Amino acid sequence: MPAAALDRRLREGVTELMKSDVPPTERGQVLRVMFAVISAVDRENTEILRANLPATGWFVDTAIASDAWLIAQHSSDRELQKEVLGRLERTARAGAFNGWEYARLYDRLEMFQGRPQRYGSQARCISGTWSFGEVPSEQEVERQRAVIGWTESLEQTKMRLNIGAPC
């Protein structure tokens, strides 16, 4: 799905801007414009994904499956995300789909519904600090990750997502 390439590029631009030395006021102005564009692309991508979902199951081609997951992950359509998650669960548990991607969509839905994450995959700014919010014990997170074949440790995820750093 070529639409996913634009999704990636736009979000990479946000990441680069956040790492830059652009003053906060200017950065905020640029981010508002960037997120307006990202939101429009996400809406369009959601429609593309809805129109191209297989009748049952999930995409067989791994590149298309990963792109379709990315679109679902960034969609604001929670019903679509739930549908995609249901389609992915059996596939991910059978090892036929990337468990890391399944975990991220699962946790994103839980986070938006105010529930604890199972896999500790989604960071958000809470009281000025990057945090997972509520997650089970580290042992339980590691156990759940092992079930779906996600090999990155929670500690590695904390470092990658800057958990504990100011936001």
Side-chain angles (χ1 to χ4, degrees), residues 14-167:
V14 169
T15 300
E16 289 305 311
L17 178 62
M18 295 306 290
K19 292 178 185 177
S20 76
D21 60 355
V22 172
T25 303
E26 291 175 38
R27 184 182 308 148
Q29 293 170 339
V30 173
L31 284 172
R32 278 191 290 285
V33 171
M34 290 177 84
F35 280 116
V37 172
I38 288 170
S39 292
V41 168
D42 287 349
R43 284 190 300 276
E44 185 175 329
N45 283 351
T46 295
E47 294 309 313
I48 291 169
L49 178 57
R50 276 201 173 284
N52 289 286
L53 279 173
T56 60
W58 193 239
F59 298 94
V60 177
D61 180 284
T62 55
I64 292 172
S66 185
D67 285 354
W69 164 83
L70 182 70
I71 290 169
Q73 176 76 359
H74 292 147
S75 176
S76 61
D77 184 337
R78 301 294 170 245
E79 292 307 312
L80 174 67
Q81 288 178 323
K82 288 176 190 175
E83 181 179 347
V84 167
L85 188 68
R87 290 171 179 238
L88 291 178
E89 185 168 17
R90 232 178 288 130
T91 309
R93 291 186 184 277
F97 184 75
N98 186 337
W100 178 71
E101 291 176 345
Y102 167 80
R104 289 178 63 196
L105 183 56
Y106 180 93
D107 279 354
R108 180 163 290 210
L109 274 165
E110 293 299 288
M111 183 181 70
F112 283 127
Q113 294 175 29
R115 296 193 294 246
Q117 297 182 45
R118 178 184 289 169
Y119 303 99
S121 68
Q122 300 295 299
R124 58 189 173 168
C125 189
I126 300 174
S127 302
T129 303
W130 286 111
S131 173
F132 291 127
E134 190 178 344
V135 293
S137 70
E138 189 164 335
Q139 287 178 321
E140 180 60 16
V141 169
E142 298 294 2
R143 189 184 76 71
Q144 291 292 340
R145 286 176 173 208
V147 168
I148 59 165
W150 185 4
T151 58
E152 182 179 75
S153 71
L154 183 59
E155 195 58 41
Q156 289 169 317
T157 303
K158 287 178 183 178
M159 290 175 59
R160 182 173 51 78
L161 297 177
N162 296 319
I163 298 300
C167 51

